[in-house]
Amino acid sequence: MSRTITILGATGSVGASTLDLVRRNREQWQVGALTAHSRAGELASLAREFGARLAVIADETQFPALKEALAGSGVEAAAGREALCEAAARPADLVMAAIVGCAGLAPVMAAIEQGRTVALANKEALVSAGEVMTAAVERHGARLLPVDSEHNAIFQCLQGGRLDEVRSITLTASGGPLRTWTPAQLDAATPAEAIAHPNWDMGAKISVDSATMFNKGLELIEAHHLFPIPLERIRILVHPQSVIHSMVEYRDGSTLAQLGPSDMRVPIASCLAWPERMETPMPPLDLAAVGELTFFEPDEARFPATALARQAAEAGGAAPAVLNAANEIAVEAFLAGKIAFSRIALSVRSVLEAGNLPPAPRTLDDVLMIDEAARAMARERLEVR
Ligand code: NDP
């Protein structure tokens, strides 16, 4: 029996890893909708290859190019943000949410409102919407399967255990490519240096987040929503080899960890096959070749992002959405060569601490308004368009 998968963000890094696994198991999957932002040519060729029913491009100016590239293929084409949500809401056994940023939030919510099983890579959506999303999951009988390698590891370590027996959760962090750099070196870090992750091959935004440690900060908030235990019991530990993807300590002193290669196809496969297991092309884990696993406390003086994220998570309400929006704008400005690396965290702090946080969001529209206002403030403070 084949299952239907929809992939939001099909042309990205997580999209490619997901499609690689689907390609290896073609008889098990029908591809429903595939979406992208602006790369119409790439989207059309994936839609043709996988015989997708629908291809949606978010950027409407690319609609003519998409239609032309799909001519005669039998794949339906659509464009715009509404069309993204309609694609996400179509019947599917699994919706892979792999758009980057809060731009993915409305489509994720559209899938949740249909009670779908959503494999969630798009952490910014959950960070921004928080309880609005988790309440919708509950209300509509949807399910979130965590794709992020750390959260997928925790999810696996919790199989057979109960959250009320958990003493602590430890999120491991590689520390990123700039982990050992001095403050002066960090200040001068270029986008190419920040993106050159030692262990993972990922999209540009998450690579920069990994270099600033905002990725771990966002993951802290993500973990708090997915595995609701008190924040102070969720820890961050730098582990440069990225072999242990996260750990759960139970109250009897047992710690369970999930280990594996630094390849997103492992956690993605765990979501695709859940609650079963599937083959992946990964070679067996060779710990003798790895030799040594090391661990360090995070240095929040050089990398203040995790402290800022904890502050936002503790404040709750609108704060995580503000933190996320300010970070998205700062990363965009850094990647465009408009600001220095160290200004990313400074800028997020200044938006977060500007005072007068809006009231806690209760609906998707509230979250989108908070996101928009925080983006405007971040742009203004950075003086970038
Ligand atoms: P990429 O930048 O590689 O891909 C992003 C995808 O989203 C592309 O398909 C892109 O389309 C699409 N997209 C971008 N902006 C918009 C928009 N405004 N509206 C609609 N679609 C959009 O990102 P990643 O695959 O690296 O990351 C995706 C998500 O998964 C992120 O939230 C990230 O944090 C998370 N994640 C990623 C991991 C990884 O290994 N890459 C690991 C764990 C989590 P187009 O190609 O046309 O621009």
Side-chain angles (χ1 to χ4, degrees):
M1 268 274 287
S2 68
R3 297 160 71 212
T4 303
I5 185 167
T6 279
I7 305 177
L8 309 171
T11 50
S13 159
V14 170
S17 294
T18 307
L19 285 168
D20 178 75
L21 293 171
V22 171
R23 191 180 282 116
R24 291 167 193 271
N25 298 278
R26 283 297 286 269
E27 68 299 342
Q28 290 172 20
W29 293 100
Q30 307 251 3
V31 175
L34 296 180
T35 82
H37 178 236
S38 56
R39 294 194 297 152
E42 284 83 348
L43 176 63
S45 73
L46 291 173
R48 280 179 180 273
E49 178 191 348
F50 287 92
R53 288 183 203 139
L54 170 68
V56 180
I57 194 90
D59 177 353
E60 296 186 37
T61 65
Q62 295 303 313
F63 191 36
L66 180 66
K67 276 195 295 197
E68 194 185 320
L70 285 174
S73 66
V75 181
E76 191 187 334
R81 287 159 73 161
E82 277 296 307
L84 270 189
C85 293
E86 282 162 24
R90 284 207 177 179
D93 297 296
L94 187 70
V95 176
M96 168 57 74
I99 290 175
V100 60
C102 193
L105 172 59
V108 168
M109 289 294 283
I112 289 172
E113 281 162 14
Q114 296 303 317
R116 302 275 178 257
T117 298
V118 177
L120 186 78
N122 182 198
K123 65 191 89 186
E124 298 91 346
L126 179 56
V127 167
S128 302
E131 286 88 11
V132 171
M133 185 183 292
T134 51
V137 167
E138 189 81 10
R139 198 164 56 244
H140 297 284
R143 183 185 291 280
L144 293 182
L145 297 176
V147 173
D148 227 343
S149 58
E150 296 76 1
H151 305 75
N152 188 268
I154 296 162
F155 183 75
Q156 294 195 44
C157 293
L158 284 170
Q159 304 300 306
R162 291 203 322 262
L163 215 47
D164 63 2
E165 294 190 322
V166 170
R167 191 186 276 168
S168 70
I169 286 176
T170 299
L171 289 165
T172 53
S174 70
L178 314 180
R179 181 176 64 88
T180 57
W181 288 32
T182 63
Q185 287 174 313
L186 286 175
D187 204 41
T190 65
E193 288 165 334
I195 285 176
H197 199 284
N199 308 340
W200 298 92
D201 182 11
M202 311 182 286
K205 196 263 177 180
I206 184 176
S207 297
V208 174
D209 283 348
S210 193
T212 57
M213 292 287 281
F214 266 110
N215 184 45
K216 215 46 58 181
L218 298 176
E219 287 178 7
L220 173 80
I221 303 173
E222 183 185 10
H224 187 51
H225 291 299
L226 291 172
F227 316 108
I229 66 166
L231 262 177
E232 62 276 13
R233 293 206 263 132
I234 308 179
R235 299 183 185 136
I236 294 171
L237 188 64
V238 176
H239 165 46
Q241 296 83 11
S242 297
V243 169
I244 294 181
H245 296 300
S246 277
M247 302 181 250
V248 173
E249 182 185 25
Y250 287 93
R251 63 180 181 168
D252 59 4
S254 297
T255 295
L256 267 56
Q258 187 261 353
L259 287 71
S262 312
D263 188 312
M264 283 306 291
R265 287 177 295 181
V266 177
I268 292 170
S270 143
C271 295
L272 292 188
W274 184 86
E276 313 283 330
R277 297 271 179 184
M278 64 184 274
E279 294 287 333
T280 68
M282 296 320 132
L285 180 63
D286 184 351
L287 285 176
V290 177
E292 205 175 45
L293 300 182
T294 53
F295 304 93
F296 307 91
E297 289 297 338
D299 179 348
E300 292 188 334
R302 277 183 310 132
F303 299 101
T306 47
L308 287 170
R310 200 173 279 279
Q311 180 185 330
E314 277 160 3
V322 169
L323 171 105
N324 178 69
N327 181 53
E328 285 194 33
I329 295 302
V331 171
E332 207 175 277
F334 170 69
L335 284 171
K338 293 178 179 169
I339 63 165
F341 181 79
S342 13
R343 271 195 79 196
I344 299 175
L346 292 175
S347 151
V348 173
R349 169 174 288 141
S350 98
V351 176
L352 193 62
E353 295 178 353
N356 295 331
L357 273 177
R362 295 160 61 104
T363 64
L364 170 61
D365 283 346
D366 291 349
V367 180
L368 295 176
M369 268 162 50
I370 292 165
D371 175 71
E372 211 37 62
R375 279 168 197 272
M377 185 189 283
R379 280 196 196 98
E380 204 174 284
R381 288 178 175 237
L382 285 172
E383 291 172 5
V384 295
R385 286 278 95 225

